[in-house]
Amino acid sequence: MTDRPDTQEARTDEDDVRLIEEIFAELGSAFAEHDAARFDERFTADIVFTAVNGVRFLGWEEIHAYHRERLTGHAEGISTWYKIERVTFPAPDVAVVFFRQPVVVSGHERANVGTWVLVKREGQWWISAGQNTGVAVTA
């Protein structure tokens, strides 16, 4: 049998974890303010992003157009935030963030789970790829 490497170890670099947590806090704040420019501030130019509805966006322009339309036309009355469950570092400048995103609309709660890949360039963390999936919420 082939020896397989482990890549999901949680790293102890608290500074990088804190910076990544700040990015997700900023995403929550930008959503609450319906500010698509701020929301998309940390996405790379070549982001590959799959939304909860299965639509894939290639590049910053596509994802920004989607978020601009969603946040200005459909976000009223929606509350959401990010609960980071785990951050792993398969390489020094690569982070994989696993999170849960509760979404509350008119008192009804649902949730998404996400797996996003961040890359570190010149000391800054950037969102390079993301996959969101809706999950059933049981009573």
Side-chain angles (χ1 to χ4, degrees), residues 38-60:
R38 227 173 91 214
F39 190 87
D40 294 334
E41 198 169 65
R42 292 318 231 151
F43 290 110
T44 62
D46 60 350
I47 179 81
V48 177
F49 188 92
T50 305
V52 70
N53 61 1
V55 175
R56 179 160 294 147
F57 300 95
L58 303 175
W60 189 88

PDB file of all heavy atoms in Angstrom, residues 38-60:
ATOM      1  N   ARG A  38     -17.268  45.399  -0.929  1.00  0.00           N
ATOM      2  CA  ARG A  38     -16.562  44.971   0.286  1.00  0.00           C
ATOM      3  C   ARG A  38     -16.592  43.455   0.446  1.00  0.00           C
ATOM      4  O   ARG A  38     -15.611  42.842   0.847  1.00  0.00           O
ATOM      5  CB  ARG A  38     -17.203  45.639   1.502  1.00  0.00           C
ATOM      6  CG  ARG A  38     -16.175  46.239   2.431  1.00  0.00           C
ATOM      7  CD  ARG A  38     -16.818  47.041   3.524  1.00  0.00           C
ATOM      8  NE  ARG A  38     -17.050  46.169   4.679  1.00  0.00           N
ATOM      9  CZ  ARG A  38     -18.067  46.275   5.506  1.00  0.00           C
ATOM     10  NH1 ARG A  38     -18.987  47.210   5.332  1.00  0.00           N
ATOM     11  NH2 ARG A  38     -18.191  45.462   6.520  1.00  0.00           N
ATOM     12  N   PHE A  39     -17.722  42.854   0.119  1.00  0.00           N
ATOM     13  CA  PHE A  39     -17.851  41.409   0.236  1.00  0.00           C
ATOM     14  C   PHE A  39     -16.833  40.700  -0.657  1.00  0.00           C
ATOM     15  O   PHE A  39     -16.232  39.704  -0.270  1.00  0.00           O
ATOM     16  CB  PHE A  39     -19.275  40.973  -0.133  1.00  0.00           C
ATOM     17  CG  PHE A  39     -19.568  39.534   0.184  1.00  0.00           C
ATOM     18  CD1 PHE A  39     -20.034  39.173   1.442  1.00  0.00           C
ATOM     19  CD2 PHE A  39     -19.378  38.541  -0.766  1.00  0.00           C
ATOM     20  CE1 PHE A  39     -20.299  37.836   1.744  1.00  0.00           C
ATOM     21  CE2 PHE A  39     -19.644  37.215  -0.473  1.00  0.00           C
ATOM     22  CZ  PHE A  39     -20.100  36.860   0.782  1.00  0.00           C
ATOM     23  N   ASP A  40     -16.618  41.208  -1.842  1.00  0.00           N
ATOM     24  CA  ASP A  40     -15.748  40.558  -2.824  1.00  0.00           C
ATOM     25  C   ASP A  40     -14.297  41.042  -2.782  1.00  0.00           C
ATOM     26  O   ASP A  40     -13.490  40.629  -3.607  1.00  0.00           O
ATOM     27  CB  ASP A  40     -16.309  40.769  -4.230  1.00  0.00           C
ATOM     28  CG  ASP A  40     -17.638  40.071  -4.422  1.00  0.00           C
ATOM     29  OD1 ASP A  40     -17.895  39.071  -3.731  1.00  0.00           O
ATOM     30  OD2 ASP A  40     -18.424  40.530  -5.275  1.00  0.00           O
ATOM     31  N   GLU A  41     -13.980  41.855  -1.824  1.00  0.00           N
ATOM     32  CA  GLU A  41     -12.661  42.466  -1.727  1.00  0.00           C
ATOM     33  C   GLU A  41     -11.520  41.444  -1.667  1.00  0.00           C
ATOM     34  O   GLU A  41     -10.434  41.686  -2.184  1.00  0.00           O
ATOM     35  CB  GLU A  41     -12.633  43.358  -0.486  1.00  0.00           C
ATOM     36  CG  GLU A  41     -11.547  44.374  -0.460  1.00  0.00           C
ATOM     37  CD  GLU A  41     -11.796  45.360   0.667  1.00  0.00           C
ATOM     38  OE1 GLU A  41     -11.753  44.943   1.843  1.00  0.00           O
ATOM     39  OE2 GLU A  41     -12.046  46.535   0.352  1.00  0.00           O
ATOM     40  N   ARG A  42     -11.725  40.275  -1.067  1.00  0.00           N
ATOM     41  CA  ARG A  42     -10.654  39.298  -0.863  1.00  0.00           C
ATOM     42  C   ARG A  42     -10.682  38.139  -1.846  1.00  0.00           C
ATOM     43  O   ARG A  42      -9.948  37.172  -1.685  1.00  0.00           O
ATOM     44  CB  ARG A  42     -10.714  38.734   0.561  1.00  0.00           C
ATOM     45  CG  ARG A  42     -10.365  39.736   1.614  1.00  0.00           C
ATOM     46  CD  ARG A  42      -9.205  40.582   1.219  1.00  0.00           C
ATOM     47  NE  ARG A  42      -8.189  40.612   2.238  1.00  0.00           N
ATOM     48  CZ  ARG A  42      -6.922  40.780   1.967  1.00  0.00           C
ATOM     49  NH1 ARG A  42      -6.496  40.878   0.756  1.00  0.00           N
ATOM     50  NH2 ARG A  42      -6.055  40.858   2.933  1.00  0.00           N
ATOM     51  N   PHE A  43     -11.521  38.219  -2.898  1.00  0.00           N
ATOM     52  CA  PHE A  43     -11.520  37.180  -3.920  1.00  0.00           C
ATOM     53  C   PHE A  43     -10.417  37.464  -4.943  1.00  0.00           C
ATOM     54  O   PHE A  43     -10.206  38.608  -5.324  1.00  0.00           O
ATOM     55  CB  PHE A  43     -12.870  37.116  -4.638  1.00  0.00           C
ATOM     56  CG  PHE A  43     -13.991  36.586  -3.780  1.00  0.00           C
ATOM     57  CD1 PHE A  43     -15.008  37.420  -3.349  1.00  0.00           C
ATOM     58  CD2 PHE A  43     -14.024  35.260  -3.409  1.00  0.00           C
ATOM     59  CE1 PHE A  43     -16.045  36.932  -2.561  1.00  0.00           C
ATOM     60  CE2 PHE A  43     -15.053  34.759  -2.613  1.00  0.00           C
ATOM     61  CZ  PHE A  43     -16.062  35.602  -2.190  1.00  0.00           C
ATOM     62  N   THR A  44      -9.728  36.409  -5.382  1.00  0.00           N
ATOM     63  CA  THR A  44      -8.675  36.576  -6.386  1.00  0.00           C
ATOM     64  C   THR A  44      -9.289  36.908  -7.745  1.00  0.00           C
ATOM     65  O   THR A  44     -10.485  36.688  -7.977  1.00  0.00           O
ATOM     66  CB  THR A  44      -7.830  35.297  -6.526  1.00  0.00           C
ATOM     67  OG1 THR A  44      -8.669  34.222  -6.960  1.00  0.00           O
ATOM     68  CG2 THR A  44      -7.125  34.943  -5.217  1.00  0.00           C
ATOM     69  N   ALA A  45      -8.458  37.404  -8.641  1.00  0.00           N
ATOM     70  CA  ALA A  45      -8.913  37.716 -10.006  1.00  0.00           C
ATOM     71  C   ALA A  45      -9.431  36.468 -10.709  1.00  0.00           C
ATOM     72  O   ALA A  45     -10.361  36.531 -11.512  1.00  0.00           O
ATOM     73  CB  ALA A  45      -7.780  38.354 -10.805  1.00  0.00           C
ATOM     74  N   ASP A  46      -8.837  35.312 -10.390  1.00  0.00           N
ATOM     75  CA  ASP A  46      -9.201  34.058 -11.070  1.00  0.00           C
ATOM     76  C   ASP A  46      -9.996  33.110 -10.171  1.00  0.00           C
ATOM     77  O   ASP A  46      -9.957  31.895 -10.346  1.00  0.00           O
ATOM     78  CB  ASP A  46      -7.957  33.367 -11.612  1.00  0.00           C
ATOM     79  CG  ASP A  46      -6.947  33.019 -10.519  1.00  0.00           C
ATOM     80  OD1 ASP A  46      -7.102  33.482  -9.358  1.00  0.00           O
ATOM     81  OD2 ASP A  46      -5.983  32.301 -10.824  1.00  0.00           O
ATOM     82  N   ILE A  47     -10.777  33.670  -9.258  1.00  0.00           N
ATOM     83  CA  ILE A  47     -11.599  32.874  -8.346  1.00  0.00           C
ATOM     84  C   ILE A  47     -12.455  31.870  -9.119  1.00  0.00           C
ATOM     85  O   ILE A  47     -12.967  32.199 -10.191  1.00  0.00           O
ATOM     86  CB  ILE A  47     -12.512  33.788  -7.484  1.00  0.00           C
ATOM     87  CG1 ILE A  47     -13.411  32.992  -6.533  1.00  0.00           C
ATOM     88  CG2 ILE A  47     -13.381  34.694  -8.336  1.00  0.00           C
ATOM     89  CD1 ILE A  47     -12.756  32.556  -5.297  1.00  0.00           C
ATOM     90  N   VAL A  48     -12.569  30.673  -8.580  1.00  0.00           N
ATOM     91  CA  VAL A  48     -13.525  29.679  -9.063  1.00  0.00           C
ATOM     92  C   VAL A  48     -14.464  29.426  -7.893  1.00  0.00           C
ATOM     93  O   VAL A  48     -14.033  28.970  -6.838  1.00  0.00           O
ATOM     94  CB  VAL A  48     -12.827  28.372  -9.510  1.00  0.00           C
ATOM     95  CG1 VAL A  48     -13.873  27.336  -9.932  1.00  0.00           C
ATOM     96  CG2 VAL A  48     -11.829  28.649 -10.623  1.00  0.00           C
ATOM     97  N   PHE A  49     -15.732  29.747  -8.086  1.00  0.00           N
ATOM     98  CA  PHE A  49     -16.673  29.747  -6.973  1.00  0.00           C
ATOM     99  C   PHE A  49     -17.956  29.055  -7.396  1.00  0.00           C
ATOM    100  O   PHE A  49     -18.560  29.415  -8.407  1.00  0.00           O
ATOM    101  CB  PHE A  49     -16.978  31.194  -6.556  1.00  0.00           C
ATOM    102  CG  PHE A  49     -17.774  31.298  -5.299  1.00  0.00           C
ATOM    103  CD1 PHE A  49     -17.137  31.415  -4.073  1.00  0.00           C
ATOM    104  CD2 PHE A  49     -19.160  31.280  -5.333  1.00  0.00           C
ATOM    105  CE1 PHE A  49     -17.873  31.509  -2.898  1.00  0.00           C
ATOM    106  CE2 PHE A  49     -19.898  31.375  -4.167  1.00  0.00           C
ATOM    107  CZ  PHE A  49     -19.257  31.489  -2.952  1.00  0.00           C
ATOM    108  N   THR A  50     -18.382  28.070  -6.615  1.00  0.00           N
ATOM    109  CA  THR A  50     -19.642  27.394  -6.868  1.00  0.00           C
ATOM    110  C   THR A  50     -20.620  27.791  -5.771  1.00  0.00           C
ATOM    111  O   THR A  50     -20.380  27.536  -4.592  1.00  0.00           O
ATOM    112  CB  THR A  50     -19.469  25.865  -6.908  1.00  0.00           C
ATOM    113  OG1 THR A  50     -18.467  25.549  -7.873  1.00  0.00           O
ATOM    114  CG2 THR A  50     -20.766  25.186  -7.283  1.00  0.00           C
ATOM    115  N   ALA A  51     -21.698  28.442  -6.189  1.00  0.00           N
ATOM    116  CA  ALA A  51     -22.715  28.913  -5.255  1.00  0.00           C
ATOM    117  C   ALA A  51     -23.575  27.745  -4.785  1.00  0.00           C
ATOM    118  O   ALA A  51     -23.549  26.654  -5.359  1.00  0.00           O
ATOM    119  CB  ALA A  51     -23.579  29.978  -5.916  1.00  0.00           C
ATOM    120  N   VAL A  52     -24.358  28.001  -3.754  1.00  0.00           N
ATOM    121  CA  VAL A  52     -25.185  26.965  -3.147  1.00  0.00           C
ATOM    122  C   VAL A  52     -26.180  26.381  -4.153  1.00  0.00           C
ATOM    123  O   VAL A  52     -26.577  25.220  -4.040  1.00  0.00           O
ATOM    124  CB  VAL A  52     -25.878  27.509  -1.877  1.00  0.00           C
ATOM    125  CG1 VAL A  52     -26.951  28.522  -2.226  1.00  0.00           C
ATOM    126  CG2 VAL A  52     -26.413  26.398  -1.023  1.00  0.00           C
ATOM    127  N   ASN A  53     -26.557  27.150  -5.177  1.00  0.00           N
ATOM    128  CA  ASN A  53     -27.504  26.653  -6.181  1.00  0.00           C
ATOM    129  C   ASN A  53     -26.804  25.888  -7.311  1.00  0.00           C
ATOM    130  O   ASN A  53     -27.438  25.500  -8.283  1.00  0.00           O
ATOM    131  CB  ASN A  53     -28.330  27.805  -6.758  1.00  0.00           C
ATOM    132  CG  ASN A  53     -27.476  28.843  -7.456  1.00  0.00           C
ATOM    133  OD1 ASN A  53     -26.258  28.726  -7.547  1.00  0.00           O
ATOM    134  ND2 ASN A  53     -28.124  29.891  -7.949  1.00  0.00           N
ATOM    135  N   GLY A  54     -25.491  25.668  -7.189  1.00  0.00           N
ATOM    136  CA  GLY A  54     -24.752  24.890  -8.172  1.00  0.00           C
ATOM    137  C   GLY A  54     -24.176  25.685  -9.316  1.00  0.00           C
ATOM    138  O   GLY A  54     -23.452  25.140 -10.156  1.00  0.00           O
ATOM    139  N   VAL A  55     -24.453  26.975  -9.376  1.00  0.00           N
ATOM    140  CA  VAL A  55     -23.908  27.805 -10.452  1.00  0.00           C
ATOM    141  C   VAL A  55     -22.433  28.078 -10.163  1.00  0.00           C
ATOM    142  O   VAL A  55     -22.070  28.460  -9.046  1.00  0.00           O
ATOM    143  CB  VAL A  55     -24.689  29.131 -10.583  1.00  0.00           C
ATOM    144  CG1 VAL A  55     -24.053  30.041 -11.614  1.00  0.00           C
ATOM    145  CG2 VAL A  55     -26.149  28.848 -10.932  1.00  0.00           C
ATOM    146  N   ARG A  56     -21.600  27.873 -11.167  1.00  0.00           N
ATOM    147  CA  ARG A  56     -20.164  28.105 -11.012  1.00  0.00           C
ATOM    148  C   ARG A  56     -19.799  29.431 -11.668  1.00  0.00           C
ATOM    149  O   ARG A  56     -20.222  29.726 -12.776  1.00  0.00           O
ATOM    150  CB  ARG A  56     -19.371  26.960 -11.643  1.00  0.00           C
ATOM    151  CG  ARG A  56     -17.873  27.202 -11.502  1.00  0.00           C
ATOM    152  CD  ARG A  56     -17.055  25.954 -11.647  1.00  0.00           C
ATOM    153  NE  ARG A  56     -17.361  25.065 -10.538  1.00  0.00           N
ATOM    154  CZ  ARG A  56     -17.355  23.745 -10.619  1.00  0.00           C
ATOM    155  NH1 ARG A  56     -17.070  23.142 -11.727  1.00  0.00           N
ATOM    156  NH2 ARG A  56     -17.640  23.018  -9.561  1.00  0.00           N
ATOM    157  N   PHE A  57     -18.999  30.205 -10.953  1.00  0.00           N
ATOM    158  CA  PHE A  57     -18.526  31.496 -11.434  1.00  0.00           C
ATOM    159  C   PHE A  57     -17.022  31.411 -11.628  1.00  0.00           C
ATOM    160  O   PHE A  57     -16.310  30.908 -10.756  1.00  0.00           O
ATOM    161  CB  PHE A  57     -18.874  32.605 -10.431  1.00  0.00           C
ATOM    162  CG  PHE A  57     -20.348  32.730 -10.210  1.00  0.00           C
ATOM    163  CD1 PHE A  57     -20.958  32.071  -9.149  1.00  0.00           C
ATOM    164  CD2 PHE A  57     -21.131  33.469 -11.072  1.00  0.00           C
ATOM    165  CE1 PHE A  57     -22.329  32.156  -8.956  1.00  0.00           C
ATOM    166  CE2 PHE A  57     -22.509  33.564 -10.883  1.00  0.00           C
ATOM    167  CZ  PHE A  57     -23.109  32.909  -9.819  1.00  0.00           C
ATOM    168  N   LEU A  58     -16.557  31.897 -12.753  1.00  0.00           N
ATOM    169  CA  LEU A  58     -15.132  31.879 -13.070  1.00  0.00           C
ATOM    170  C   LEU A  58     -14.630  33.306 -13.165  1.00  0.00           C
ATOM    171  O   LEU A  58     -15.018  34.048 -14.065  1.00  0.00           O
ATOM    172  CB  LEU A  58     -14.891  31.146 -14.401  1.00  0.00           C
ATOM    173  CG  LEU A  58     -15.411  29.710 -14.451  1.00  0.00           C
ATOM    174  CD1 LEU A  58     -15.236  29.132 -15.853  1.00  0.00           C
ATOM    175  CD2 LEU A  58     -14.701  28.847 -13.422  1.00  0.00           C
ATOM    176  N   GLY A  59     -13.823  33.699 -12.225  1.00  0.00           N
ATOM    177  CA  GLY A  59     -13.229  35.033 -12.237  1.00  0.00           C
ATOM    178  C   GLY A  59     -13.990  36.029 -11.383  1.00  0.00           C
ATOM    179  O   GLY A  59     -15.190  35.893 -11.121  1.00  0.00           O
ATOM    180  N   TRP A  60     -13.239  37.045 -10.966  1.00  0.00           N
ATOM    181  CA  TRP A  60     -13.777  38.060 -10.066  1.00  0.00           C
ATOM    182  C   TRP A  60     -14.956  38.805 -10.681  1.00  0.00           C
ATOM    183  O   TRP A  60     -15.944  39.078  -9.991  1.00  0.00           O
ATOM    184  CB  TRP A  60     -12.676  39.052  -9.671  1.00  0.00           C
ATOM    185  CG  TRP A  60     -13.121  39.981  -8.592  1.00  0.00           C
ATOM    186  CD1 TRP A  60     -13.031  39.774  -7.254  1.00  0.00           C
ATOM    187  CD2 TRP A  60     -13.750  41.261  -8.755  1.00  0.00           C
ATOM    188  NE1 TRP A  60     -13.566  40.835  -6.565  1.00  0.00           N
ATOM    189  CE2 TRP A  60     -14.009  41.777  -7.469  1.00  0.00           C
ATOM    190  CE3 TRP A  60     -14.114  42.014  -9.858  1.00  0.00           C
ATOM    191  CZ2 TRP A  60     -14.622  42.998  -7.256  1.00  0.00           C
ATOM    192  CZ3 TRP A  60     -14.728  43.251  -9.647  1.00  0.00           C
ATOM    193  CH2 TRP A  60     -14.966  43.721  -8.355  1.00  0.00           C
TER     194      TRP A  60
END
